[in-house]
Structures are given as structure tokens and as C-alpha cells.
Amino acid sequence: LTAAGAHRRHTDAAAATLGGLDHVICTAGILRIGSVADGDGADIAEVIDVNVTGTLHVARAAHPHLCRTGGSFTAFASSSFTVGRPRYVAYSASKAGGDLQVLAWHRTFGLDAVITRGSNTFGPRQYPEKLIPLFVTNALDGLQLPVYGDGMQVRDWLYVDDHCEGI
């Protein structure tokens, strides 16, 4: 397939799943960013493909359907790393690229869209190597709790159900 053909196939597949929905929440995103930074996770091209191009496919598929139903589109998995004092790394750039795709579809084609930028979200079924599950399991197992950098970093956390309720 040509690149354009592959993109159309992905968009068509996304459109086929919309059915009678009146609201689409896009959670396109590579979640294992720590592994990406360490070089043993997803390749940066995969991160960009999911975070930017994946969001494009969902927005493009949702647009005609939501125009017919009067529904709305929410880009749920945007990152707090794209606002305030963003970390200028490939991951942040890819999430900002996804945001810009949604904004472009809103401004160019009138897609009713909202972008949420929740802080670090945690909850059930999170990858076990992520901070909160790792600290909990290490503490329960009597293992040492890891300290990252100088230990002075501050992060905000948002429980997944609270984020969903806000949407």
C-alpha cells in the first residue's frame, strides 16, 4: 500500500467502529514513555505514528459521523507535558502534534472538539513499572523504593475515574 492508501485504510477501520455513537474519546497514545526514553521501548517513529497519526485517523473518521449526529470529539490522552513548562522531548512533541491535529480539524472542518490535559493519571491495570504501582508493590514486598534524580521532583496525580467524570 502507498502511505496514502494505508492512512485511508486506518481511517476507514476507525469509521466502521463508530456505529451509533454521539461522542468519541480519543485515547491514542504510547503509554510507556519511560521505556522510550531509556531506548528499550517503542521506537520514536512508533510514538509519533500513534500520538500524531493515530489521533489524525480518529479525528478524520469521527468528523463526518459526528457532523451527522451532532456529537462531539474529545482528545482525552493529551499530556500535561505540552503546557506550562513543557519538557521539550520527542514524546511531548508527539503529544502536542496530536493536539494540533485536533485543533486543526476543529478550526478547518468545524469538528466539535475538546482537549483535556490531565496531569499524570493513575488507576487499575496500569503498567506495573509505572511510579505508583511500583512504589506500592515494592513497599508491600519489603523492597527498596526507587529515588529518581535528586528526589526533589514534584508531580500531580489524577485518578482515572476522576478524569473520566470530568469529561
Side-chain angles (χ1 to χ4, degrees):
L1 284 175
T2 65
H7 289 295
R8 174 53 55 198
R9 187 186 68 198
H10 291 303
T11 299
D12 291 346
T17 65
L18 293 176
L21 301 178
D22 60 2
H23 189 84
V24 174
I25 300 173
C26 177
T27 60
I30 293 284
L31 300 176
R32 300 176 75 145
I33 62 171
S35 298
V36 173
D38 297 338
D40 65 350
D43 177 78
I44 190 58
E46 181 183 0
V47 172
I48 291 168
D49 188 45
V50 170
N51 294 349
V52 180
T53 312
T55 302
L56 165 67
H57 292 310
V58 176
R60 187 165 63 182
H63 178 254
H65 175 76
L66 294 175
C67 284
R68 284 192 306 276
T69 65
S72 63
F73 180 90
T74 301
F76 170 69
S78 190
S79 173
S80 58
F81 290 128
T82 62
V83 295
R85 292 180 42 213
R87 293 176 26 189
Y88 293 102
V89 296
Y91 170 76
S92 298
S94 73
K95 295 305 287 183
D99 287 2
L100 291 172
Q101 285 295 329
V102 173
L103 290 172
W105 278 84
H106 169 69
R107 291 183 180 146
T108 306
F109 304 111
L111 178 65
D112 183 19
V114 173
I115 296 173
T116 68
R117 294 187 182 104
S119 60
N120 298 286
T121 302
F122 72 98
R125 295 176 297 284
Q126 192 169 16
Y127 285 113
E129 72 271 9
K130 295 299 183 183
L131 184 70
I132 291 176
L134 179 66
F135 269 62
V136 170
T137 56
N138 278 13
L140 290 173
D141 293 341
L143 300 174
Q144 194 169 15
L145 303 180
V147 174
Y148 300 99
D150 63 5
M152 299 302 294
Q153 293 84 354
V154 176
R155 297 190 83 173
D156 294 320
W157 293 94
L158 180 62
Y159 187 66
V160 66
D161 288 349
D162 294 333
H163 198 165
C164 292
E165 187 177 322
I167 291 173

